[in-house]
Amino acid sequence: KMSRLAHLAGDMGAAWVIPFDADEAWYLPDLSTVTADVVMVRSHVYVPQPGDPDDPNPITRMLWRVATPERFPKVCFRYHPDAQLHMGQHDVSRPGRRTEAGMIKHYQYRTLEQVRRKASNGTKAYSATNLPHFYGTHWRNLNSLDEDGLAGWWEDYTSQPLEYAP
């Protein structure tokens, strides 16, 4: 699906493809100055805290993040007709040079209720595919928790060591 969308963008004249998720804010250099064809971008997970401002916008509300970036970078790339995105937009198959630049702020879990909905919807979505069972295990694991288990998970998630990074 994402490769198909990337090719639609290329067919419409896009020079670069940035395959982002709705819960991400990307901060990139001016891509017109980048000489590489693929930019790998590290993602930092932002975690809600009890003292966060009363603001519905997670970008301005959530000011604390996990100190280490997520394990797998995401990619954006100069459009190429043979480009094929990998699962999760963590890589792309296409010829050319690569570099690492920019940053992604990832606001994946914003409230306990949102986690509950996301886990349920994610489990249903993966169950409707013929993908191997190891895809989407995080959704299935969260969705399998009862109310007390999910509340305990949320307590652990929001009380992990964080750094202030507005």
Side-chain angles (χ1 to χ4, degrees):
K1 168 177 70 175
M2 295 304 290
S3 290
R4 189 169 55 246
L5 290 171
H7 289 291
L8 285 173
D11 292 345
M12 293 176 9
W16 281 86
V17 176
I18 305 171
F20 64 92
D21 293 341
D23 61 359
E24 299 171 344
W26 284 58
Y27 299 87
L28 294 169
D30 179 352
L31 293 174
S32 69
T33 67
V34 173
T35 58
D37 300 298
V38 176
V39 178
M40 297 169 295
V41 187
R42 294 287 170 179
S43 185
H44 281 274
V45 172
Y46 279 70
V47 179
Q49 293 297 285
D52 285 347
D54 185 21
D55 184 342
N57 182 347
I59 294 172
T60 53
R61 180 183 76 242
M62 295 167 60
L63 307 174
W64 293 85
R65 72 180 187 192
V66 177
T68 55
E70 290 185 282
R71 183 174 170 196
F72 300 110
K74 296 278 193 125
V75 295
C76 64
F77 58 96
R78 194 179 306 275
Y79 179 71
H80 188 279
D82 295 330
Q84 291 297 313
L85 276 158
H86 297 204
M87 184 67 131
Q89 295 78 253
H90 295 290
D91 202 359
V92 62
S93 296
R94 68 154 336 274
R97 294 183 316 158
R98 294 170 175 259
T99 191
E100 187 167 330
M103 182 186 80
I104 301 168
K105 293 182 177 183
H106 192 184
Y107 303 93
Q108 65 184 16
Y109 303 131
R110 297 174 294 282
T111 66
L112 177 57
E113 180 54 38
Q114 179 259 344
V115 170
R116 187 179 290 115
R117 283 191 316 271
K118 197 168 185 174
S120 175
N121 291 340
T123 298
K124 289 175 188 171
Y126 276 106
S127 296
T129 73
N130 58 3
L131 290 170
H133 193 71
F134 57 82
Y135 286 109
T137 55
H138 57 300
W139 299 132
R140 291 184 184 99
N141 290 341
L142 283 172
N143 196 51
S144 71
L145 298 174
D146 62 17
E147 287 299 314
D148 289 340
L150 192 58
W153 175 89
W154 180 253
E155 176 63 32
D156 291 345
Y157 178 73
T158 58
S159 63
Q160 64 184 304
L162 303 171
E163 65 182 10
Y164 185 70

